[in-house]
């Protein structure tokens, strides 16, 4: 298989570089800043973690509801890029707006809006993969997207981290440092996305027939009704619901979890930067392994690794242990996400990719609603953040078992080509 990437593949990969800067910011610095705002308002650490978890849950639930609808509309000829652009605008404008509020409740509301824009854009971005590459290159292109997203996002993140940690030294306030950071990330996100907006062409699509909304809802209804007959897709979606629940919950809650345990803020941020750096080569490695080993088996290895990570996190209490956790997450995070995306793309009809990836988002972001809510609820009830994370253990196990059965089903019914 050739390793040189086409112009369109590079443009698609670059969007991961752009949006990942926002992901890294909200996974690291933003929870700490929200903790700063909430502490100033007299909110306890347990309640802070719970509110942050609830906000993440609102986002995932909202995207799970609108994703399939927008995704089905986007499958119509020439609709995918415009809807993607709208979601991009909501995310980037929301990112900018986060820097201009000092109220914790207003900050949380704007965060929810910005995160909905970002998460919705991923439905269409993921579904574009069938238009930008060939079926035999899905695994490697998907993995490269995550890999360069991890390392590329470190560029604006290092600048933001320097501003936040060095605010006193350069004579600016924490709020000013955060405002500048949000501007940097929003501008980076837009600029790196320009090649995709300029070059993307929707190759696989459904022709518009009659009323756009009526026909789109009709297609979505037919797909959901017939899903039980698409057994490999149906079983994968259920399995994905559970195992990606744990993955997304760990991503969303990592910094908040470490902060709730009272760990050093600077150490947390540097550890999560290491996660990005480690994830870069390992994402590429997982993509290359997919040309030698079964993608399904590689996904199962990643799920098992995440179960072990969750067990480790259950007993975590020191800064060193958080660093070890960060490295382990970096080794498997890109692999499980990238290979799951390309595996699903192989199972579905390419002309309905927006619709199917919208449904996948129900099982992904929608599942994360369950995970973040459970972590927040258990942490708040018990007053123990470790016990909150422990609820993810059975989630990974169930996802692993169901994924195994999805593989068996696929062996009886070959994937679409």
């Amino acid at each position: 298989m050739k390793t040189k990437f086409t112009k369109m593949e590079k443009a698609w990969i670059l969007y991961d570089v752009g949006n990942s800067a926002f992901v890294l910011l909200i996974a690291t610095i933003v929870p700490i800043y929200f903790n700063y705002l909430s502490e100033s308002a007299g909110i306890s650490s347990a309640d802070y973690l719970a509110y942050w978890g609830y906000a993440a849950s609102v986002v995932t639930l909202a995207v799970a509801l609108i994703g399939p609808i927008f995704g089905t509309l986007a499958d119509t000829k020439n609709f995918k890029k415009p809807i993607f652009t709208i979601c991009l605008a909501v995310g980037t404008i929301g990112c900018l707006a986060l820097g201009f509020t000092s109220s914790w409740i207003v900050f949380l509301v704007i965060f929810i809006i910005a995160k909905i824009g970002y998460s919705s854009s991923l439905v269409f971005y993921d579904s574009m993969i069938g238009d930008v590459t060939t079926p035999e290159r899905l695994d490697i292109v998907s993995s490269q997207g995550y890999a360069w997203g991890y390392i590329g996002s470190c560029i604006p993140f290092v600048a933001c981290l320097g501003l936040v940690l060095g605010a006193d030294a350069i004579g600016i306030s924490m709020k000013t440092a955060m405002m500048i950071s949000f501007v940097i990330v929003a501008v980076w996100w837009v600029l790196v996305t320009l090649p995709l907006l300029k070059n993307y062409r929707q190759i696989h699509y459904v022709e518009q027939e009659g009323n756009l909304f009526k026909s789109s809802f009709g297609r979505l209804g037919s797909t959901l009704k017939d899903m039980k007959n698409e057994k490999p897709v149906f079983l994968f979606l259920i399995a994905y619901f559970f195992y990606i629940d744990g993955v997304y919950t760990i991503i969303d809650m990592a910094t908040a979890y470490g902060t709730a345990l009272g760990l050093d803020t600077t150490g947390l941020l540097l550890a999560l930067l290491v996660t990005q750096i480690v994830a870069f080569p390992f994402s590429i490695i997982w993509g290359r392994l997919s040309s030698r080993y079964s993608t399904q088996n590689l996904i199962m290895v990643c799920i098992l690794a995440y179960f072990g990570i969750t067990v480790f996190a259950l007993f975590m209490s020191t800064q060193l242990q958080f660093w070890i956790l960060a490295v382990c997450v970096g080794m498997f995070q890109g692999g499980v996400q990238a290979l799951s995306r390309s595996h699903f793309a192989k199972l579905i009809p390419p002309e309905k990719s927006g619709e199917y990836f919208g449904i996948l988002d129900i099982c992904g972001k929608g599942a994360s609603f369950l995970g973040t809510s459970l972590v927040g609820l258990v942490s708040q009830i018990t007053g123990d953040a470790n016990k909150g994370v422990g609820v993810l253990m059975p989630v990974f196990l169930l996802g692993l078992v169901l994924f195994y059965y999805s593989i068996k089903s696929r062996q009886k019914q070959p994937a679409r080509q």
Side-chain angles (χ1 to χ4, degrees):
M1 182 186 298
K2 69 184 181 76
T3 56
K4 186 176 180 180
F5 295 94
T6 66
K7 181 179 180 180
M8 193 62 257
E9 288 173 342
K10 291 177 182 177
W12 184 85
I13 288 169
L14 274 174
Y15 183 67
D16 228 322
V17 177
N19 74 69
S20 292
F22 178 70
V23 177
L24 186 55
L25 188 71
I26 62 174
T28 54
I29 298 177
V30 172
I32 295 171
Y33 182 56
F34 176 66
N35 186 39
Y36 162 78
L37 294 177
S38 60
E39 277 188 347
S40 299
I43 297 174
S44 69
S45 61
D47 284 338
Y48 142 74
L49 182 63
Y51 291 141
W52 189 249
Y54 296 150
S57 298
V58 170
V59 171
T60 53
L61 181 59
V63 177
L65 292 174
I66 67 176
I69 299 172
F70 281 6
T72 307
L73 287 172
D75 282 331
T76 306
K77 186 177 181 179
N78 297 326
F79 268 73
K80 188 167 290 184
K81 185 193 287 188
I83 299 178
F84 167 77
T85 305
I86 291 171
C87 294
L88 170 68
V90 171
T92 53
I93 293 172
C95 180
L96 282 172
L98 284 172
F100 296 90
T101 180
S102 57
S103 165
W104 72 270
I105 187 66
V106 174
F107 183 90
L108 209 57
V109 171
I110 296 175
F111 164 77
I112 290 172
I113 295 171
K115 189 76 182 293
I116 287 175
Y118 152 76
S119 298
S120 298
S121 76
L122 292 187
V123 174
F124 312 110
Y125 169 66
D126 288 344
S127 71
M128 288 176 182
I129 192 171
D131 291 326
V132 304
T133 192
T134 56
E136 65 272 12
R137 289 175 59 79
L138 286 170
D139 289 325
I140 192 168
V141 172
S142 181
S143 298
Q144 288 282 334
Y146 276 106
W148 288 102
Y150 288 132
I151 199 69
S153 63
C154 292
I155 298 173
F157 177 72
V158 169
C160 296
L161 188 61
L163 280 170
V164 172
L165 297 182
D168 291 338
I170 60 180
I172 62 174
S173 67
M174 174 70 161
K175 292 180 181 179
T176 300
M178 287 303 303
M179 181 183 67
I180 298 173
S181 296
F182 285 121
V183 171
I184 290 173
V185 168
V187 172
W188 172 272
W189 188 356
V190 171
L191 290 179
V192 177
T193 307
L194 291 179
L196 182 62
L197 294 177
K198 179 182 178 181
N199 297 304
Y200 174 73
R201 297 294 181 270
Q202 189 172 352
I203 298 173
H204 303 289
Y205 53 80
V206 176
E207 292 284 358
Q208 182 176 341
E209 297 179 1
N211 182 275
L212 175 62
F213 289 93
K214 184 177 180 180
S215 61
S216 296
F217 276 100
R219 293 200 311 272
L220 178 59
S222 297
T223 298
L224 292 173
K225 183 179 179 180
D226 296 338
M227 188 69 72
K228 61 182 178 181
N229 298 321
E230 297 284 348
K231 198 169 183 181
V233 177
F234 181 68
L235 288 177
F236 172 76
L237 287 171
I238 299 175
Y240 185 80
F241 177 92
F242 287 100
Y243 75 76
I244 211 67
D245 173 19
V247 174
Y248 285 154
T249 302
I250 288 174
I251 293 172
D252 287 339
M253 303 291 285
T255 304
Y257 174 53
T259 303
L261 291 178
L263 302 183
D264 176 64
T265 298
T266 302
L268 289 178
L269 294 176
L270 293 176
L272 290 169
L273 179 60
V274 168
T275 297
Q276 300 294 110
I277 296 172
V278 171
F280 170 61
F282 272 92
S283 295
I284 295 175
I285 289 171
W286 287 110
R288 292 181 177 176
L289 286 174
S290 67
S291 64
R292 299 181 58 187
Y293 302 100
S294 165
T295 302
Q296 297 96 315
N297 290 339
L298 294 176
I299 292 173
M300 291 181 70
V301 169
C302 290
I303 298 172
L304 279 171
Y306 259 98
F307 175 79
I309 288 169
T310 308
V311 174
F312 182 81
L314 183 63
F315 302 99
M316 188 182 75
S317 60
T318 68
Q319 196 81 46
L320 175 61
Q321 290 172 338
F322 190 87
W323 276 75
I324 295 172
L325 183 76
V327 171
C328 291
V329 168
M331 292 171 63
F332 298 97
Q333 181 172 294
V336 71
Q337 291 179 286
L339 295 178
S340 294
R341 175 168 62 187
S342 57
H343 174 74
F344 186 66
K346 297 172 187 175
L347 294 176
I348 62 175
E351 71 277 6
K352 295 184 178 181
S353 59
E355 177 180 339
Y356 273 87
F357 271 101
I359 295 171
L360 182 70
D361 216 61
I362 293 179
C363 302
K365 300 294 194 301
S368 186
F369 168 80
L370 174 65
T372 51
S373 294
L374 285 174
V375 170
L377 185 62
V378 173
S379 297
Q380 195 169 31
I381 291 175
T382 63
D384 188 339
N386 292 90
K387 291 179 181 177
V389 173
V391 302
L392 300 179
M393 292 168 58
V395 170
F396 280 118
L397 279 181
L398 187 55
L400 179 65
V401 172
L402 289 169
F403 185 74
Y404 172 79
Y405 282 107
S406 75
I407 294 173
K408 292 298 182 182
S409 174
R410 192 187 180 199
Q411 290 172 346
K412 298 177 182 178
Q413 182 179 339
R416 303 175 193 269
Q417 299 297 327

